[in-house]
């Protein structure tokens, strides 16, 4: 494997979160600041976030819109973060957001990646969830028109894998695998 910074080499997306751990205000600010400094086309920053801390109203609204299979482990995360992007034509700062299907979603992905690396630097873990009720969550959080939910990130400290159901526990403690680099190159 090529030499990677430990922030990338040791990044991991667990499902076992410590149900007693909290996300401090400073940690939350640090994560969001990392996202804020992600690159974006024309500095449009077309991403928006909704952050819920365990058991607050935002956290509850996000949790109930996650798939039923994800709720049992996600409820242990210290925070749930909705990542959304602006739809095409929605004003973002000084200009219009790029196409929602490509550019704005791409920029949001960069912001979430920066947030995830910052979480690793802070000793936190992030697991992203894309298969949730997008329309339900937009309605439950009363998101403004033109704000499109794309990803939920569960954030917290590492928990005990033995607290997970057997199938998830096996995935949690198994070896991490990645496709060989050659499989990812088109040419």
């Amino acid at each position: 494997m090529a030499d990677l910074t430990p922030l990338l080499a040791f990044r991991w997306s667990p499902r076992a979160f410590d149900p007693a751990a909290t996300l401090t205000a400073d940690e939350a600010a640090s994560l969001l600041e990392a996202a804020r400094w992600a690159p974006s086309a024309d500095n449009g920053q077309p991403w928006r976030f909704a952050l819920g801390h365990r058991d607050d109203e935002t956290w509850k609204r996000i949790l109930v819109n996650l798939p039923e299979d994800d709720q049992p482990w996600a409820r242990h995360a210290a925070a749930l973060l909705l990542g959304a992007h602006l739809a095409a034509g929605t004003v973002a700062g000084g200009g219009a957001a790029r196409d929602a299907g490509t550019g704005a979603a791409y920029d949001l992905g960069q912001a979430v990646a920066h947030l995830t690396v910052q979480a690793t630097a802070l000793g936190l873990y992030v697991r992203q969830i894309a298969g949730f009720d997008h329309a339900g969550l937009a309605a439950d959080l009363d998101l403004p028109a033109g704000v499109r939910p794309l990803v939920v990130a569960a954030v917290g400290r590492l928990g005990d894998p033995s607290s997970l159901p057997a199938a998830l526990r096996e995935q949690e403690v198994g070896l991490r695998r990645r496709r060989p680099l050659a499989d990812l190159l088109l040419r």
Side-chain angles (χ1 to χ4, degrees):
M1 180 166 80
D3 189 30
L4 290 178
T5 176
L7 293 175
L8 295 174
F10 297 111
R11 184 215 54 81
W12 177 46
S13 301
R15 289 182 184 87
F17 287 98
D18 180 348
T22 60
L23 183 69
T24 69
D26 286 344
E27 289 168 333
S30 180
L31 297 178
L32 293 169
E33 191 67 13
R36 185 172 80 94
W37 282 98
S40 67
D42 298 324
N43 199 25
Q45 301 168 38
W47 50 77
R48 299 297 182 266
F49 297 105
L51 178 63
H53 293 267
R54 187 182 303 112
D55 294 328
D56 75 11
E57 194 60 32
T58 300
W59 184 91
K60 289 175 185 176
R61 289 177 186 209
I62 295 172
L63 183 67
V64 300
N65 283 285
L66 297 181
E68 286 185 27
D69 291 348
D70 291 330
Q71 289 181 24
W73 63 262
R75 67 183 169 88
H76 294 297
L80 294 174
L81 176 86
L82 169 67
H85 63 80
L86 301 177
T90 304
V91 175
R98 294 189 300 158
D99 176 50
T102 56
Y106 176 85
D107 286 354
L108 170 61
Q110 290 216 59
V112 173
H114 278 62
L115 181 148
T116 300
V117 171
Q118 183 66 19
T120 303
L122 296 174
L124 298 166
Y125 294 85
V126 176
R127 181 161 192 99
Q128 298 175 35
I129 307 160
F132 57 89
D133 182 354
H134 294 229
L137 188 50
D140 284 353
L141 291 178
D142 195 25
L143 297 181
V147 175
R148 304 254 168 87
L150 186 66
V151 66
V152 169
V155 181
R157 302 218 180 272
L158 198 57
D160 181 2
S162 69
S163 67
L164 296 170
L168 293 180
R169 185 172 44 249
E170 288 177 26
Q171 292 176 13
E172 197 81 354
V173 299
L175 290 176
R176 289 177 60 200
R177 300 190 191 281
R178 289 295 208 216
R179 292 180 181 270
L181 184 55
D183 288 359
L184 304 177
L185 294 174
L186 297 173
R187 291 183 176 238

